Amino acid sequence: MSVCEIPSQLSQSPGLPKSPEGDPVFPEPWAAEAFAMTVHLHEKGLFSWSEWAAALSNELHQPGRAEDGGDYFDCWVAALSDMLVSRGVANASAILDLQKSWQRAAEATPHGKPIELANDPLR
């Protein structure tokens, strides 16, 4: 079995949507990318499994979260952002600025075209 075939502990994250075969299911490409980034950072030693589980659980249990889990990957990204900031890897305002830039790019991108940061009218 190759390293790629060995399931990450992160694939056992609380509430992670899964297929009948037990594989993670992602509603959008960005969710898969967030998952992949988290797996990579965990494998590089930025945080332990228990630290990740606690951070994600904390986000999932914040007031106002969707009862049906519809915002699961929003919680995932928020937990990852918080971990990056708390470990000094990223700056909270830089993350927020980048998030806003992606939103503007999405709004400026014609339907059916790829969303790229270059599409942000303020960049």
Side-chain angles (χ1 to χ4, degrees):
M1 181 178 285
S2 74
V3 172
C4 293
E5 294 170 335
I6 299 170
S8 165
Q9 287 180 310
L10 292 176
S11 67
Q12 304 306 314
S13 292
L16 180 66
K18 294 187 180 179
S19 71
E21 295 79 29
D23 298 320
V25 175
F26 305 102
E28 300 286 339
W30 66 265
E33 291 172 359
F35 179 87
M37 283 189 287
T38 306
V39 169
H40 177 76
L41 293 169
H42 166 68
E43 290 173 348
K44 292 294 182 186
L46 186 64
F47 48 82
S48 69
W49 162 246
S50 60
E51 290 171 321
W52 171 252
L56 180 57
S57 179
N58 182 57
E59 277 301 323
L60 291 169
H61 293 96
Q62 290 295 313
R65 290 299 187 186
E67 289 184 28
D68 68 355
D71 61 352
Y72 181 82
F73 284 104
D74 293 324
C75 293
W76 186 287
V77 170
L80 181 58
S81 296
D82 288 347
M83 292 194 84
L84 293 173
V85 169
S86 71
R87 284 164 172 68
V89 175
N91 175 290
S93 64
I95 290 173
L96 182 59
D97 289 346
L98 192 54
Q99 182 182 26
K100 289 177 181 178
S101 184
W102 275 110
Q103 184 62 44
R104 287 189 302 269
E107 291 167 359
T109 300
H111 181 73
K113 299 291 184 187
I115 299 170
E116 300 173 354
L117 275 180
N119 296 346
D120 175 359
L122 299 182
R123 268 185 108 69

